[in-house]
Amino acid sequence: MSGTHSDVLILGGGSGGYACAFRASQLGFSVTLIEEDKVGGTCLHRGCIPTKALLHTAEVADIARTSETFGVQAKFEGIDIDAMHDYKNGTVERLYKGLQGLVAQHKITTVVGHGIVVGDRTVEVDGVRYTATSVVLATGSYARTIPGIELGDRIVTSDQALNLGFVPKKAIVLGGGVIGVEFASVWASFGADVTVIEALPRLVAAEDPWCSKHLERAFRKRGVTSRTSVKVASAKESNEGVVVELESGDTLDADVLLVAVGRGPRTADSGFAEHGITLDRGFVVTDERLRTSVDGVYAVGDIVGGLQLAHRGFQQGIFVAEEIAGLHPVPVADHLIPRVTYSHPEIASVGFGEDAARDRYGDITSVVYDLSGNGKSQILKTAGGIKVVRAGGEGADGPVVGVHMVGDRVGELIGEAQLAVAWEALPSDIAHFVHAHPTQNEALGEAMLALAGAPLHAHS
């Protein structure tokens, strides 16, 4: 059976897919968007938005617990799990409703169902075939699991953890990446005894080691146990909880085990490889223009190797729509995409860490401005710092190539940091900027002043 022909056919309605659809529509193309679940994808329904809602609940819990420090008499009496989920789900539903309105406004044809590539720029859904001049693959990712560890009511991935019907007294998090440390942070704020198990030598191993040290120190102060360079041998679930055995022979018990070992590309069941689309370990192989091995077929988002971030997929979706339109957009390198981990404290970074910068530029210089010298950070009672890396040895004025920040709310500072790195700004350029007082943004300005050789508040 034949469906309709479109200028652009998009398989997957997550951040990359719907951004591509909206931009293609703006550019005058007819657009068909195929999505088997809900437009918004993992980010809106099972990722960024609901997890950050839980993290905000956790922040409120921490504020209530420490309110007397700020002169407010309040008590933390626990988490109302149903009310918390109502708040989280309400946030998601409001955004979803708004997104549905935008889909209608852009006059995008939507098809609900599981799409399978059947070749010749054609996708089949429930026996109906849809064709297009250009096809964009945006099928997203799934929560990885570990062979031999069976999921259940108490052994869960992030998908199930978002809707957990109880607050655990003891929790084990398997995986010290972004997802793992965010959930560890949430449960610790809720009052749980949390242990993070990570096979690599440090938490958030994709970040600069300086960030890892700060986070691990902060977690220790909060009572979160981090066991790095450790592997799990087995995990068994019972009615009462979970028993985890480590390869060392140690055993740990908890109410819940979160398996947070990353996300895999969702490409196995959509006909990609069967119809000539080259894959590498499940990821779609593309060139820098996001073209696949099949003419007229593009890929965006988590199925393309690299950072698995909603805003990266969003940017790639816009890029591909403009590429199809012949506008010759400029690709954005992965290191220029900002990264934020919304734990307590937050980590925010863009550009290269020290080791990667040294490999690329040879001589480098870095400075760290401690948040203890920043007025707003003292008001917020947050510890941490801002590290800026520039190319060139001592006394040089090379461009800023990396910014790494640790502290509550530092994710809000990443915009200026991204501009500095992407525009290859010199510290001496930024040193003249006026940063509002009192803001945490001043700390970034102070780091730039120090790199420019004119530190104002640094101790000699």
Side-chain angles (χ1 to χ4, degrees):
M1 184 178 175
S2 246
T4 57
H5 182 85
S6 304
D7 295 324
V8 180
L9 172 63
I10 302 163
L11 182 55
S15 301
Y18 83 71
C20 185
F22 290 178
R23 185 65 180 128
S25 174
Q26 289 174 345
L27 292 168
F29 293 120
S30 61
V31 181
T32 297
L33 181 64
I34 298 171
E35 169 57 51
E36 65 179 333
D37 190 10
K38 294 178 179 178
V39 174
T42 294
C43 175
L44 177 55
H45 300 287
R46 295 175 301 283
C48 319
I49 299 302
T51 55
K52 277 54 184 180
L54 293 188
L55 282 154
H56 184 60
T57 296
E59 181 183 14
V60 173
D62 286 329
I63 290 171
R65 190 181 281 110
T66 60
S67 63
E68 290 188 5
T69 305
F70 303 95
V72 177
Q73 294 183 349
K75 282 186 179 179
F76 174 69
E77 296 184 346
I79 301 296
D80 182 333
I81 199 80
D82 292 331
M84 181 190 74
H85 286 314
D86 285 345
Y87 154 67
K88 166 179 64 72
N89 296 337
T91 303
V92 171
E93 282 303 315
R94 285 190 297 276
L95 290 169
Y96 179 46
K97 187 175 179 181
L99 189 56
Q100 287 175 302
L102 289 170
V103 170
Q105 179 183 318
H106 285 290
K107 296 181 171 57
I108 292 163
T109 300
T110 56
V111 178
V112 178
H114 179 67
I116 298 174
V117 172
V118 293
D120 198 24
R121 302 182 202 175
T122 303
V123 176
E124 185 175 294
V125 182
D126 297 329
V128 180
R129 294 193 167 194
Y130 298 85
T131 61
T133 306
S134 299
V135 171
V136 182
L137 309 176
T139 47
S141 61
Y142 65 92
R144 289 189 189 274
T145 55
I146 294 178
I149 296 182
E150 254 184 73
L151 301 180
D153 293 334
R154 292 178 179 271
I155 300 179
V156 299
T157 67
S158 57
D159 290 350
Q160 293 79 46
L162 281 169
N163 299 304
L164 208 62
F166 62 94
V167 176
K169 291 181 180 177
K170 291 179 73 176
I172 299 171
V173 176
L174 177 51
V178 173
I179 296 170
V181 300
E182 287 186 352
F183 271 98
S185 196
V186 166
W187 286 334
S189 295
F190 289 175
D193 177 0
V194 182
T195 299
V196 182
I197 300 169
E198 171 55 56
L200 295 173
R202 57 190 176 89
L203 300 185
V204 287
E207 296 291 343
D208 188 274
W210 174 85
C211 296
S212 300
K213 287 177 184 174
H214 268 277
L215 181 66
E216 288 165 4
R217 185 184 306 135
F219 269 17
R220 279 195 299 274
K221 287 183 178 178
R222 297 184 61 199
V224 176
T225 300
S226 302
R227 299 191 63 163
T228 54
S229 300
V230 170
K231 292 185 179 179
V232 169
S234 67
K236 301 295 181 188
E237 183 177 307
S238 68
N239 291 333
E240 293 75 37
V242 179
V243 176
V244 175
E245 183 180 352
L246 306 180
E247 285 190 350
S248 63
D250 293 348
T251 59
L252 305 172
D253 64 275
D255 301 316
V256 65
L257 168 65
L258 170 65
V259 180
V261 290
R263 298 188 65 82
R266 195 183 294 278
T267 57
D269 59 352
S270 297
F272 294 179
E274 294 85 343
H275 290 89
I277 295 165
T278 302
L279 304 180
D280 178 14
R281 293 166 298 167
F283 291 97
V284 177
V285 176
T286 69
D287 63 11
E288 69 165 9
R289 314 302 297 180
L290 297 175
R291 295 173 294 204
T292 72
S293 53
V294 174
D295 187 44
V297 179
Y298 301 80
V300 302
D302 284 1
I303 60 172
V304 178
L307 296 171
Q308 291 181 310
L309 298 169
H311 46 283
R312 173 183 180 252
F314 193 86
Q315 184 274 332
Q316 287 182 337
I318 295 170
F319 176 92
V320 163
E322 294 181 351
E323 178 75 3
I324 291 168
L327 299 181
H328 309 294
V330 177
V332 176
D334 266 9
H335 77 279
L336 298 179
I337 296 171
R339 309 173 293 276
V340 183
T341 302
Y342 294 89
S343 50
H344 171 41
E346 288 183 358
I347 299 170
S349 60
V350 65
F352 298 111
E354 273 201 51
D355 292 342
R358 197 169 284 108
D359 289 343
R360 188 178 182 98
Y361 298 102
D363 287 341
I364 63 163
T365 307
S366 69
V367 301
V368 173
Y369 184 81
D370 197 293
L371 291 185
S372 63
N374 175 255
K376 187 60 180 285
S377 298
Q378 285 297 303
I379 291 167
L380 295 174
K381 289 194 173 293
T382 185
I386 293 179
K387 178 179 185 177
V388 181
V389 182
R390 68 158 168 76
E394 207 65 46
D397 193 22
V400 175
V401 298
V403 178
H404 310 272
M405 303 181 278
V406 181
D408 290 341
R409 305 190 186 182
V410 295
E412 302 301 325
L413 309 182
I414 200 64
E416 180 181 335
Q418 180 189 21
L419 291 176
V421 175
W423 285 348
E424 300 181 340
L426 303 177
S428 56
D429 294 332
I430 302 171
H432 299 294
F433 291 176
V434 178
H435 293 85
H437 177 74
T439 63
Q440 286 181 296
N441 205 221
E442 289 177 284
L444 183 56
E446 288 283 353
M448 296 295 182
L449 280 167
L451 269 183
L456 192 60
H457 288 93
H459 295 288
S460 58

